[in-house]
């Protein structure tokens, strides 16, 4: 596992054995500003451009940040739209325990315009790793 970044809000890693980027939100991100959120997500895209993973795993369990509608649009247009051109084919989301945070992320993926990237919602990191392994096997 290669650590790409470790900030106050997020840890980003690349797992070569799964060809997957994993980003983990840390607890205490509720008061994060829109600009701080965008900075963290742009950092994810930079990692994706560097490693070109097949799969992105978003570990949201400790997140309690809600993505409001305008930020949902930005996420769809700027982040999700950048996945496929940079090699990503799957997004696996380990959902937050916070209902509003979980609902706001589900809304982003319900409205996504990039249909070439599949998405799966799971409840544990182990489940996410299982899917990533399955996707890797199917791609070879």
């Amino acid at each position: 596992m290669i650590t790409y970044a470790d900030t106050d809000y997020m840890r980003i890693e690349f797992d070569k054995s799964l060809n997957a980027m994993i980003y983990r939100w840390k607890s205490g991100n509720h008061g994060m500003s829109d600009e701080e959120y965008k900075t963290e997500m742009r950092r994810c895209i930079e990692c994706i451009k560097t490693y070109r993973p097949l799969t992105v795993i978003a570990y949201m369990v400790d997140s309690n940040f809600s993505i409001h509608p305008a930020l949902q649009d930005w996420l769809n247009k700027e982040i999700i739209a950048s996945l496929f051109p940079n090699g990503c084919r799957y997004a696996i989301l380990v959902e937050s325990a916070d209902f509003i945070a979980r609902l706001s992320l589900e809304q982003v993926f319900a409205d996504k315009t990039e249909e070439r990237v599949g998405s799966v919602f799971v409840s544990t990191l182990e489940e996410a790793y299982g899917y990533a392994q399955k996707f890797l096997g199917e791609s070879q």
Side-chain angles (χ1 to χ4, degrees):
M1 189 87 70
I2 299 165
T3 299
Y4 181 82
D6 193 356
T7 70
D8 290 343
Y9 295 121
M10 178 189 290
R11 181 178 178 91
I12 305 170
E13 301 167 317
F14 177 72
D15 186 328
K16 187 176 181 179
S17 70
L18 293 173
N19 192 14
M21 182 196 84
I22 302 106
Y23 70 92
R24 304 168 198 249
W25 285 105
K26 297 177 181 178
S27 59
N29 66 358
H30 179 74
M32 187 170 40
S33 71
D34 288 2
E35 282 310 309
E36 288 170 317
Y37 178 82
K38 288 178 179 182
T39 297
E40 296 298 327
M41 294 310 298
R42 286 183 188 115
R43 198 179 331 269
C44 287
I45 291 301
E46 290 307 313
C47 180
I48 289 168
K49 287 178 179 179
T50 300
Y51 292 106
R52 299 187 58 80
L54 177 69
T55 302
V56 170
I57 298 173
Y59 185 78
M60 311 297 290
V61 172
D62 296 323
S63 178
N64 55 9
F65 180 77
S66 297
I67 308 166
H68 59 77
L71 205 50
Q72 290 174 10
D73 290 341
W74 177 86
L75 191 61
N76 196 358
K77 291 174 187 168
E78 299 295 324
I79 303 301
I80 295 173
S82 298
L83 297 178
F84 189 84
N86 288 290
C88 183
R89 300 298 178 262
Y90 305 99
I92 304 169
L93 301 108
V94 185
E95 296 190 279
S96 172
D98 182 279
F99 176 75
I100 300 299
R102 185 174 65 242
L103 188 63
S104 68
L105 188 64
E106 288 172 356
Q107 185 64 43
V108 168
F109 278 86
D111 294 343
K112 74 180 168 86
T113 56
E114 177 50 85
E115 296 301 326
R116 297 172 293 180
V117 176
S119 56
V120 178
F121 287 86
V122 299
S123 52
T124 67
L125 197 53
E126 292 73 26
E127 238 184 313
Y129 287 152
Y131 272 104
Q133 187 67 52
K134 176 182 178 256
F135 297 149
L136 183 61
E138 290 173 356
S139 73
Q140 297 176 345

